[in-house]
Amino acid sequence: MLTPSSNTALEPITQAMVAGLPEVSAHFSRFKVTEIALSDSALAQFDDSEILRAAELLAHAKVDVIGWNGTSSGWLGFDRDVRLCERITAATGIAATTSMLALNEILQKTGVTRLGFVTPYRDDVQAKILENYGKLGIGSAGERHLRLQDNFSFAEVTPEQIEEMTLAVARDQPQAIAIICTNLRAAPLVEKLERATGVPVYDTIATVVWKSLILAGADPRRVTGRGALFQRVT
């Protein structure tokens, strides 16, 4: 897993997800990400050359899959992740995926065209995410965001805040809800949120784990207690 440097959530959550799969281990490599905004300096954090250096270090561990456990293509454009995966595989010979490409595959497989969005991001970042999903033919059916910019602060969002936002979005009757950010501690809440809302909840830490397991030849249905994604989407 490629990890934003200021992220404190995704590593323990990822480890917990695969803890019941004794043949699976998760490994992490960081590159500098401290803020999420549309300024030149913030966008420059996601330059492919920095990410590729981190990926090459993971390749030394002879991993089977490299996942960008991050959501930057949500506002940069999904083609950025497609090119990144191509470059990672060309440089390392290892299959690659990302949180957002995995989410989009899940939405395509399940036929979602009305999606609810929960994020911690700024107004302008949220607007770009909604715009990019609109280009895929996926409309916004409810959205909530917290207008935060500091990446570290996302992990300080409380479970109560995440639940409140998700339940508010569910009132607009989306077909599914995406919780987009890999430094939110949302994944442990997914089963509870699905019971409360009656719709699938796709967290972007979970989406990249799901796809990475598939690429590595492991059955994601063996991940239990993590919601509809792992049990129902194949």
Side-chain angles (χ1 to χ4, degrees):
M1 294 296 173
L2 297 163
T3 308
S5 60
S6 52
N7 192 307
T8 60
L10 78 82
E11 289 157 313
I13 289 172
T14 299
Q15 296 280 22
M17 282 184 180
V18 301
L21 284 63
E23 78 282 15
V24 175
S25 60
H27 307 272
F28 305 90
S29 186
R30 291 176 177 244
F31 65 96
K32 184 178 179 179
V33 178
T34 60
E35 63 172 332
I36 300 301
L38 299 184
S39 65
D40 289 345
S41 60
L43 296 178
Q45 298 171 120
F46 300 103
D47 178 86
D48 278 5
S49 61
E50 295 297 321
I51 306 175
L52 282 168
R53 276 193 280 272
E56 287 168 359
L57 294 177
L58 280 175
H60 296 169
K62 302 187 186 304
V63 296
D64 294 298
V65 181
I66 295 176
W68 163 216
N69 205 320
T71 58
S72 55
S73 71
W75 56 92
L76 294 173
F78 302 123
D79 285 349
R80 288 285 292 267
D81 272 3
V82 173
R83 291 196 299 272
L84 174 64
C85 289
E86 290 172 349
R87 292 188 70 189
I88 288 172
T89 300
T92 66
I94 296 170
T97 187
T98 77
S99 294
M100 298 305 284
L101 293 183
L103 172 60
N104 293 350
E105 179 180 339
I106 292 158
L107 299 176
Q108 190 275 329
K109 283 177 176 286
T110 55
V112 171
T113 58
R114 299 180 67 256
L115 183 64
F117 296 84
V118 173
T119 87
Y121 302 136
R122 293 162 43 110
D123 292 344
D124 54 356
V125 174
Q126 186 81 344
K128 288 297 293 183
I129 293 171
L130 299 185
E131 177 186 333
N132 285 329
Y133 273 98
K135 292 175 182 177
L136 294 183
I138 298 173
S140 172
E143 67 86 18
R144 291 293 186 279
H145 59 286
L146 293 173
R147 300 182 172 91
L148 300 177
Q149 180 167 333
D150 173 52
N151 191 73
F152 181 85
S153 72
F154 303 159
E156 298 179 316
V157 175
T158 67
E160 291 76 18
Q161 288 175 289
I162 295 169
E163 290 177 19
E164 180 181 355
M165 289 194 294
T166 306
L167 293 174
V169 167
R171 289 196 285 271
D172 288 327
Q173 299 184 318
Q175 294 169 287
I177 297 171
I179 301 180
I180 296 175
C181 177
T182 63
N183 203 23
L184 280 180
R185 301 183 188 278
L189 307 174
V190 163
E191 283 210 327
K192 178 181 180 181
L193 293 172
E194 289 183 336
R195 287 194 298 269
T197 63
V199 298
V201 176
Y202 300 129
D203 168 79
T204 47
I205 298 175
T207 60
V208 71
V209 171
W210 170 85
K211 184 61 176 180
S212 295
L213 289 172
I214 292 171
L215 290 173
D219 186 351
R221 290 173 297 182
R222 293 174 57 215
V223 176
T224 58
R226 298 292 177 174
L229 168 61
F230 290 98
Q231 300 305 310
R232 300 180 192 171
V233 183
T234 57

